[in-house]
Amino acid sequence: MKALVVRQPWASLIALGVKTIETRPSPPNGPMRPDGVRGLPGCRLERGERIAIVAGKDKACITEIGPLPWAPLTDGTGIGIHLRERLVLGAVVCTAVVDDVLPVFHVATVMSYDVPFPNFQVNGPDLLTYCGVGGEATDMRAQIPFGEFAPGRWGWMLTDVKPCAPVPVKGRQGVFMLPDDVAEALS
């Protein structure tokens, strides 16, 4: 099984089903990478392929986390749960299917290309970012707090997320193959 390292708390938000789009500076190698676009280092990735999400070991990115305000992370009282002590580092936290990888556009960029987007309504300046190609657009507003949606980046569309008990693994850059024993533990 292939894997991708995601920093915390983003890896846990993917496992919880809150973060459904992982943003990266490039698409993976393989059929989802358009010709002439440099792919992410590592293995090829097929559309619809299941990958493991590995929570990175970088503690620096989670030192300032306090109560997280997102509803799925509440304890029933509406108060955000402090996750600092509960975040898993250096382990697989879930698997997910990568349905597609799409370029990120700001509305102004999309409008200047005069590309027809049938599911696209301009309601004023609150429309910030969209992701899409070929006349289809996906509204990114709900996902903006969970990624870097700048033009030129790529949105990895994640579906069918399956959380798992943490399985320790050493991460690598880009898309990489899990060791056989880790892949077996996830089966």
Side-chain angles (χ1 to χ4, degrees):
M1 176 179 275
K2 296 171 189 162
L4 183 69
V5 173
V6 178
R7 289 181 165 185
Q8 286 287 29
W10 315 125
S12 289
L13 291 172
I14 291 171
L16 290 167
V18 175
K19 180 177 168 67
T20 60
I21 302 170
E22 169 62 12
T23 58
R24 294 284 161 150
S26 54
N29 287 312
M32 291 185 281
R33 181 183 58 82
D35 290 338
V37 175
R38 187 175 182 175
L40 198 68
C43 302
R44 294 173 49 90
L45 195 60
E46 301 291 325
R47 185 173 277 110
E49 188 169 351
R50 180 168 293 282
I51 64 168
I53 303 297
V54 177
K57 279 189 120 172
D58 182 3
K59 292 180 184 176
C61 64
I62 61 171
T63 56
E64 299 302 318
I65 295 173
L68 298 177
W70 307 297
L73 300 177
T74 63
D75 59 6
T77 65
I79 299 169
I81 298 172
H82 285 272
L83 290 180
R84 184 181 301 128
E85 295 81 23
R86 298 185 187 146
L87 292 175
V88 173
L89 298 174
V92 175
V93 294
C94 67
T95 63
V97 172
V98 181
D99 273 350
D100 208 351
V101 177
L102 302 171
V104 175
F105 299 98
H106 278 306
V107 170
T109 305
V110 171
M111 297 306 281
S112 69
Y113 286 136
D114 196 27
V115 177
F117 288 101
N119 303 324
F120 185 81
Q121 295 179 359
V122 178
N123 296 327
D126 62 332
L127 286 185
L128 299 172
T129 305
Y130 283 78
C131 197
V133 291
E136 299 264 337
T138 302
D139 189 340
M140 300 287 100
R141 285 179 288 180
Q143 291 292 305
I144 286 174
F146 312 123
E148 186 183 336
F149 290 91
R153 291 187 59 88
W154 294 80
W156 296 39
M157 309 307 197
L158 305 175
T159 61
D160 193 23
V161 174
K162 294 184 180 176
C164 63
V167 181
V169 67
K170 183 176 180 177
R172 297 188 197 129
Q173 287 188 340
V175 178
F176 65 96
M177 291 298 295
L178 288 174
D180 291 341
D181 60 328
V182 174
E184 192 174 306
L186 295 172
S187 299

